[in-house]
């Protein structure tokens, strides 16, 4: 903090000191004039002295150029230039993390008259709008937000409302509008801000969904455990054969509940961070190799062969390695469980593909459906993970519901280790977080192909293109 002089509580103020000096000089001049009248022989010297005292008093009483009378406790502020203030406000406006817009209105009944006077960087990135001059109705079509803006512009009322941004990755905002004093070209103005509340909403939904799903899915195994415990405590207490059989069933139900809770917690964590894109680097080919090693015990028990086909070199993407491994493992695990004994699962990795090639058909004559489509980017390149089984396949009507929680295709069995019905729901949310796509193809009686594809970093895409052109 800069040093500033503090006035002494006993020292007289500059203004009082000047007043005292003026009074003293004036009294001296008056006395000299009276003496000059009384003593004519000394009148010349007394008049000269009075004139000299008057001049000195006048010169000493003038305020200097650098001094100003200041009251105690009042700080002198040196104003800055208008240009510097404008640049400072501009920098602060652009540095705000929340989207902020200054909006002006024309006629009250003219919706097209609501224009964006100024939008900061966060608002431009979120709504894809110019810095100034855009139509508000083109940037935001939510009726609640538009109504709040009208009330602020034409009613002078401050409002707060909810706003949900559309898109594959839903985001929730709290929109607040405040009227501004003054007009711009005769048009009223208001400030519109958005505060991101996606995390808060997701936490609330995660808690509600977890309780609802857990209570629904855990009811059956808990009822089974309770029934078997009552039986073992009753007439089957001394029946060794029945006790062993019941204990095996109880262990199976307990394991199912454990897997169910683990999957629910995993799904909740993924949904909580779904709007935050990952920033790490993952070699998908190496992750797939680790998954094949991890499921080798399950595939050997089932008598299923897993064939891994990876491209030469690396297939890197921007992502979270644990989540990518979970996607590949869930897809491979499903394929193994629904494959017949002695069957084959084909796991294929391909990189440097455009969106059309990544989501292209891989099973001729199959019913094909895109379960998740990324935002269209003409220059984006992708790494695709395709898992094919030769199991029973699925009818067309089942495909749209594959990624719903706890959805199971009727009439299909997944062997001795039934799933929780959350595997593909987890896959979809992970792929969505990575800004990728998900495609399913199936032919009843011949098998199913599930393809998840993830965007490559731009630098790797350029290198891959250069390598292909050189070849």
């Amino acid at each position: 903090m800069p040093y500033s002089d503090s006035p002494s509580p006993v020292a007289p103020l500059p203004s009082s000191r000047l007043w005292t000096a003026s009074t003293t000089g004036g009294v001296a001049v008056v006395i000299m004039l009276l003496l000059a009248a009384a003593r004519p022989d000394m009148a010349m010297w007394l008049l000269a002295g009075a004139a000299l005292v008057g001049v000195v008093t006048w010169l000493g009483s003038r305020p200097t150029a650098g001094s100003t009378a200041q009251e105690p406790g009042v700080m002198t502020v040196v104003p800055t230039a208008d240009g510097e203030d404008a640049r400072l406000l501009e920098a602060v406006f652009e540095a705000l993390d929340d989207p902020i817009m200054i909006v002006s209105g024309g006629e009250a009944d003219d919706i097209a008259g609501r224009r964006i006077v100024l939008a900061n960087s966060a608002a431009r990135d979120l709504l894809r709008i110019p810095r100034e001059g855009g139509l508000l109705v083109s940037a935001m079509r939510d009726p609640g937000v538009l109504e709040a803006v009208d009330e602020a512009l034409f009613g002078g009322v401050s409002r707060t409302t909810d706003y949900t941004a559309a898109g594959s990755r839903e985001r929730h905002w709290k929109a607040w509008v405040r009227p501004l004093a003054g007009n711009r070209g005769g048009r009223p103005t208001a400030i519109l801000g958005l505060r991101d509340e996606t995390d808060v909403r997701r936490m609330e939904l995660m808690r509600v969904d977890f309780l609802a799903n857990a209570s629904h899915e855990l009811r059956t195994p808990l009822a089974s455990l309770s029934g078997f415990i009552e039986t073992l405590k009753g007439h089957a207490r001394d029946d060794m054969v029945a006790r062993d059989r019941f204990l095996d069933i109880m262990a199976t139900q307990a394991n199912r509940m454990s897997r169910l809770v683990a999957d629910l917690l995993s799904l909740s964590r993924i949904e909580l961070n779904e709007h935050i894109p990952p920033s790490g680097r993952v070699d998908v080919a190496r992750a797939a190799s680790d998954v094949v090693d991890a499921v080798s015990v399950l595939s050997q028990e089932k008598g299923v062969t897993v064939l891994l086909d990876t491209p030469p070199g690396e297939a890197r993407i921007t992502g979270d390695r644990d989540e990518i491994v979970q996607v590949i493992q869930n897809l491979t695990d499903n394929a193994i469980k629904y494959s017949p004994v002695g069957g084959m699962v084909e796991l294929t990795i391909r990189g440097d593909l455009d969106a059309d090639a990544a989501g292209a058909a891989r099973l001729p004559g199959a019913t094909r459906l895109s379960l998740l489509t990324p935002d269209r980017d003409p220059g984006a390149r992708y790494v695709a993970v395709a898992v094919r089984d030769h199991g029973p396949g699925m009818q067309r009507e089942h495909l749209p519901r594959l990624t719903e929680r706890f959805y199971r295709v009727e009439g299909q069995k997944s062997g001795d280790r039934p799933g929780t019905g959350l595997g593909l729901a987890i896959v979809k949310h992970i792929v969505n977080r990575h800004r990728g796509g998900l495609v399913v193809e199936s032919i009843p009686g011949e098998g199913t192909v599930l393809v998840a594809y993830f965007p490559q970093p731009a630098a790797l895409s350029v290198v891959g293109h250069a390598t292909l052109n050189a070849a």
Side-chain angles (χ1 to χ4, degrees), residues 34-63:
L34 291 176
L35 289 175
R39 297 286 302 271
D41 56 328
M42 300 182 63
M44 182 179 299
W45 298 101
L46 291 173
L47 291 174
L52 180 61
V53 171
V55 171
V56 171
T57 302
W58 177 74
L59 291 175
S61 300
R62 287 193 310 166

Side-chain angles (χ1 to χ4, degrees), residues 65-343:
S67 64
T68 55
Q70 182 177 343
E71 295 297 327
V74 179
M75 182 176 63
T76 302
V77 179
V78 179
T80 59
D82 292 342
E84 293 180 4
D85 289 343
R87 285 191 295 270
L88 179 59
L89 291 175
E90 174 80 9
V92 172
F93 184 69
E94 288 292 324
L96 293 174
D97 290 333
D98 291 343
I100 303 292
M101 291 168 284
I102 308 298
V103 183
S104 68
E107 299 294 333
D109 57 351
D110 182 15
I111 299 179
R114 318 292 185 267
R115 291 195 169 272
I116 300 173
V117 177
L118 199 61
N120 70 347
S121 177
R124 298 196 299 270
D125 293 341
L126 174 67
L127 302 174
R128 301 293 189 268
I129 57 176
R131 176 181 170 81
E132 53 185 303
L135 289 175
L136 179 64
V137 70
S138 299
M140 304 185 70
R141 297 180 175 87
D142 186 85
V145 176
L146 297 177
E147 182 180 352
V149 170
D150 284 353
E151 291 186 7
L153 288 174
F154 306 107
V157 179
S158 299
R159 279 281 305 275
T160 301
T161 185
D162 294 327
Y163 169 64
T164 301
S168 57
R169 288 162 292 277
E170 190 174 73
R171 298 183 67 178
H172 300 276
W173 303 84
K174 181 70 71 175
W176 55 270
V177 190
R178 304 288 184 269
L180 296 178
N183 296 330
R184 177 183 172 87
R187 299 157 63 94
T189 56
I191 182 171
L192 167 61
L194 300 175
R195 185 171 62 250
D196 194 353
E197 293 192 343
T198 304
D199 289 339
V200 177
R201 295 290 186 88
R202 288 186 185 276
M203 286 290 292
E204 294 176 356
L205 292 175
M206 181 182 70
R207 177 179 58 83
V208 173
D209 289 346
F210 181 83
L211 292 175
N213 294 325
S215 62
H216 174 72
E217 289 296 319
L218 293 177
R219 187 179 296 115
T220 300
L222 284 175
S224 299
L225 289 174
S226 299
F228 288 129
I229 290 173
E230 291 179 2
T231 303
L232 290 174
K233 290 172 64 177
H235 62 273
R237 177 181 303 175
D238 299 325
D239 189 340
M240 299 293 293
V241 177
R243 185 179 64 183
D244 291 341
R245 183 166 61 88
F246 290 163
L247 287 175
D248 290 339
I249 297 175
M250 292 169 66
T252 301
Q253 294 294 337
N255 289 334
R256 179 170 180 264
M257 286 193 296
S258 178
R259 293 197 310 272
L260 179 62
V261 171
D263 284 348
L264 282 172
L265 290 174
S266 177
L267 182 58
S268 298
R269 286 193 299 268
I270 293 166
E271 286 183 323
L272 181 62
N273 298 320
E274 191 171 354
H275 65 290
I276 304 174
S279 57
R281 292 291 176 91
V282 184
D283 184 358
V284 180
R286 182 173 297 180
S289 178
D290 293 342
V291 169
V292 172
D293 293 338
V295 301
S296 59
V297 175
L298 177 62
S299 62
Q300 290 174 5
E301 290 178 355
K302 188 71 180 289
V304 175
T305 302
V306 180
L307 297 179
L308 176 61
D309 181 10
T310 60
E314 297 179 336
R316 288 190 172 273
I317 64 170
T318 299
D320 184 303
R321 190 181 190 282
D322 292 339
E323 292 185 354
I324 298 300
V325 168
Q326 190 171 9
V327 167
I328 301 174
Q329 183 161 347
N330 284 6
L331 295 179
T332 306
D333 193 41
N334 272 354
I336 293 174
K337 287 189 293 186
Y338 288 103
S339 293
V341 177

